[in-house]
Amino acid sequence: MSDTSLPPPAGEPIPEPGPSDADAPRLPDPPDDGRVYVDPVTPPPAEPTHHAATAPTGEQLVAYAMTLRGTARGRVRENVNDFTQWYYGDNTAASWCLIFVCWCLNHFGALGLIGGKIAYVPDLKKRVGSKWHTDRKLISRGDPVTFDFNHSGEPEHVGFFVKWLNSGHTTFESIEGNTGNDQVATRTRYWSDVYGFVKPGLAASDPSRYPGVIYRYVAGALMHDAHVTWIQQRLGAHRHPLNVDSYYGPVTAAAVTAFQKDAHLPADGEVGPKTWAALAN
């Protein structure tokens, strides 16, 4: 049984750095001489913790997390940075992947969606109760997803789910804190390493609003989200019916090409802002 009154141990086990870490800066750690090192950078004021009037969407949560990519802000040494100082109020060195999740939720005043601050990954499942899931069909953008890389039966890492990278739903992109060289970074992960994930109660996205992404057919990595569902539904409304399965495959691309010809648009089978606006009419 874990003692949650203690901070999680520093040096959380994580996978070996990938190619994207090759050029990451390596900062020297201070000598282990027993001194207390004070952060030379004044951390920003802690944002107030409160329940959000409206929960963020998964897109909003991921978009904010993406703005924090790179070496942890306010880093003093490994596992000491703005995120850990916000959590502990001092220079405690500790794993901060779950602290990063809390920080991002707190940015939207939505920390209450997971019951408040928490730093120890194995306790997340107990904390969230019925919000905990393991069925990959239920996961969506912005859901916190935990990893058991060494298959010990206990998770040791967590990040935000971003998107599936293949139609078989075996690999996906995540954005995580405390990964690689003590960074916030996107990662390619395997579902076989997933321990479970949280459906915190994020707000539903408006699939009819153009998301700023060009939808196209990509063999082996089909685009798949609620916006594709909307595209397929609108194609049906414009006399180009097809099976609504939320995957932008070759059949959907062909239907888009046919619609573009009808609408006197460049027939490239891709949905950008002009095709999106035509589908909306």
Side-chain angles (χ1 to χ4, degrees):
M1 181 177 296
S2 61
D3 182 358
T4 57
S5 66
L6 299 176
E12 174 177 317
I14 54 176
E16 290 297 318
S20 61
D21 296 318
D23 299 322
R26 290 184 175 274
L27 303 181
D29 288 343
D32 186 13
D33 57 6
R35 293 174 56 195
V36 176
Y37 287 85
V38 179
D39 184 0
V41 179
T42 302
E47 299 174 80
T49 300
H50 59 277
H51 289 272
T54 303
T57 65
E59 283 81 3
Q60 290 173 317
L61 192 54
V62 167
Y64 174 67
M66 291 290 188
T67 68
L68 302 173
R69 282 178 293 181
T71 301
R73 303 190 317 189
R75 174 171 166 159
V76 179
R77 58 186 184 277
E78 187 175 8
N79 291 328
V80 180
N81 50 52
D82 283 353
F83 305 117
T84 59
Q85 289 182 338
W86 167 75
Y87 189 91
Y88 293 106
D90 55 28
N91 279 342
T92 296
S95 329
W96 52 275
C97 56
L98 186 49
I99 293 174
F100 174 71
V101 168
C102 290
W103 172 289
C104 293
L105 286 167
N106 189 60
H107 174 77
F108 294 95
L111 192 50
L113 294 179
I114 58 170
K117 285 183 175 181
I118 181 172
Y120 191 48
V121 178
D123 285 344
L124 183 60
K125 179 180 179 180
K126 293 182 291 185
R127 163 73 69 83
V128 300
S130 62
K131 293 181 177 181
W132 182 263
H133 298 275
T134 57
D135 185 348
R136 77 183 76 186
K137 295 192 296 293
L138 299 177
I139 199 167
S140 55
R141 195 175 184 90
D143 289 343
V145 55
T146 65
F147 303 95
D148 179 10
F149 295 115
N150 56 15
H151 301 282
S152 65
E154 187 172 84
E156 63 270 358
H157 192 55
V158 64
F160 288 112
F161 179 87
V162 177
K163 62 182 179 181
W164 291 110
L165 296 177
N166 66 344
S167 58
H169 290 185
T170 58
T171 60
F172 61 94
E173 180 182 320
S174 63
I175 179 159
E176 309 161 4
N178 202 188
T179 190
N181 293 316
D182 204 34
Q183 291 186 316
V184 175
T186 55
R187 289 285 180 263
T188 296
R189 296 300 188 195
Y190 296 93
W191 187 262
S192 58
D193 291 325
V194 169
Y195 179 78
F197 61 94
V198 182
K199 300 289 296 180
L202 302 176
S205 302
D206 180 0
S208 67
R209 179 178 299 174
Y210 180 61
V213 175
I214 295 178
Y215 283 85
R216 56 170 64 93
Y217 168 54
V218 181
L222 301 184
M223 302 180 79
H224 168 61
D225 60 20
H227 295 296
V228 178
T229 304
W230 181 87
I231 290 169
Q232 293 172 331
Q233 291 170 338
R234 294 306 301 163
L235 286 168
H238 284 279
R239 302 191 303 278
H240 295 283
L242 71 167
N243 181 39
V244 178
D245 62 1
S246 304
Y247 287 94
Y248 204 99
V251 175
T252 299
V256 168
T257 300
F259 167 76
Q260 290 170 325
K261 291 177 179 177
D262 292 345
H264 305 291
L265 293 168
D268 57 8
E270 300 180 357
V271 179
K274 292 183 180 179
T275 300
W276 189 280
L279 284 169
N281 292 331

